Amino acid sequence: MLKPWMSVRGVVASLAFLSVLGCGPSLEEAPESGQAVGRVDSALSLCGESCPSGYYPSISTYQASCGGTSSNWLTRCEVVKGSSLSVCGASCPSGYFASINTYDTSCGGAFANSRTRCQVITGAPFSTCGESCPSGYYPSSNLYNDSCAGAFANRQTRCQVVTGSSLRVCGTSCPSGYYPSSNAYNYSCGGAFADRRSQCQVVTGSNLTTCGTSCPSGYSASGSGYRAACGDAFGNTATTCRRL
């Protein structure tokens, strides 16, 4: 608390004088490894190649003053907010998806000159770089796209909202609450999905027939047999399941 004989102007002037003499905090010190420069709610500059929670890396360049364990890299960290982010590397913050990945030398070091455009997930279908969808979505296609370079290996996946009684899903795995009723070749499900697409039905009723030999939770197998519609991914086998 300020004494009656002290003023805000006097305190500021005293601090400035001490700084000049070298007795106060320096305003020009280079950040140490992991040390932030700037307000907590604004952009930060950190020695090293990572950002704290709530921030994302926008630039990473060589900086001689960032020696030692941080490998001479200085990273600019921006606050995660807004509908679109330009992120160094191939990872988007939680709640965002990667729409584009390009080569950019301002993202050096561990980011391997890779920059990703990250868009906020709004609840609508979207196309993301890579071969996976976030929780609540399923992959409906996976195709080559040269705008998804670098770590994404030029693969782009269409992600649809999990809703309805029937879904056409790339691969052999259905979302929780669904089971595969058929599986067939489909070239639009490339990459890690190996050109396979499953018809996924919502789990309901006292009896159902699923591809493979495993029944959904709450059901038990009453018999298995040949079913061509299940394809070679399931060994052309289907299982009849009864509710427990």
Side-chain angles (χ1 to χ4, degrees):
M1 178 181 295
L2 294 179
K3 301 297 184 181
W5 48 269
M6 298 175 70
S7 68
V8 173
R9 181 178 297 177
V11 172
V12 172
S14 298
L15 289 174
F17 178 69
L18 289 172
S19 180
V20 171
L21 292 178
C23 301
S26 170
L27 303 179
E28 301 297 332
E29 293 178 355
E32 298 177 359
S33 179
Q35 177 182 342
V37 177
R39 300 192 309 274
V40 174
D41 60 345
S42 65
L44 311 173
S45 291
L46 298 173
C47 282
E49 298 168 280
S50 62
C51 293
S53 177
Y55 292 80
Y56 68 91
S58 62
I59 298 174
S60 185
T61 55
Y62 181 87
Q63 178 71 31
S65 62
C66 288
T69 58
S70 61
S71 304
N72 298 112
W73 290 99
L74 180 67
T75 298
R76 180 75 169 175
C77 299
E78 307 281 351
V79 178
V80 175
K81 63 179 180 180
S83 60
S84 181
L85 313 175
S86 184
V87 180
C88 283
S91 298
C92 289
S94 177
Y96 290 78
F97 68 91
S99 61
I100 297 174
N101 180 274
T102 57
Y103 180 89
D104 192 329
T105 56
S106 67
C107 293
F111 301 112
N113 298 316
S114 173
R115 180 177 293 281
T116 300
R117 174 67 63 181
C118 300
Q119 305 291 137
V120 71
I121 297 172
T122 63
F126 58 88
S127 295
T128 182
C129 290
E131 298 183 300
S132 63
C133 294
S135 177
Y137 292 80
Y138 68 91
S140 62
S141 69
N142 180 275
L143 300 169
Y144 179 92
N145 192 310
D146 57 12
S147 66
C148 293
F152 299 110
N154 299 117
R155 305 304 306 183
Q156 185 182 63
T157 298
R158 183 67 175 171
C159 297
Q160 305 282 356
V161 179
V162 175
T163 184
S165 61
S166 182
L167 314 174
R168 299 177 68 196
V169 181
C170 285
T172 58
S173 297
C174 292
S176 177
Y178 291 78
Y179 67 92
S181 61
S182 65
N183 181 274
Y185 173 87
N186 193 298
Y187 76 92
S188 66
C189 292
F193 302 109
D195 299 319
R196 309 300 302 184
R197 172 177 279 167
S198 293
Q199 190 73 35
C200 298
Q201 305 294 136
V202 70
V203 175
T204 186
S206 57
N207 294 279
L208 58 85
T209 301
T210 180
C211 289
T213 57
S214 298
C215 291
S217 177
Y219 288 77
S220 64
S222 61
S224 297
Y226 178 85
R227 188 175 186 177
C230 289
D232 55 8
F234 290 99
N236 296 306
T237 299
T239 298
T240 300
C241 305
R242 292 180 179 175
R243 187 185 294 277
L244 296 174

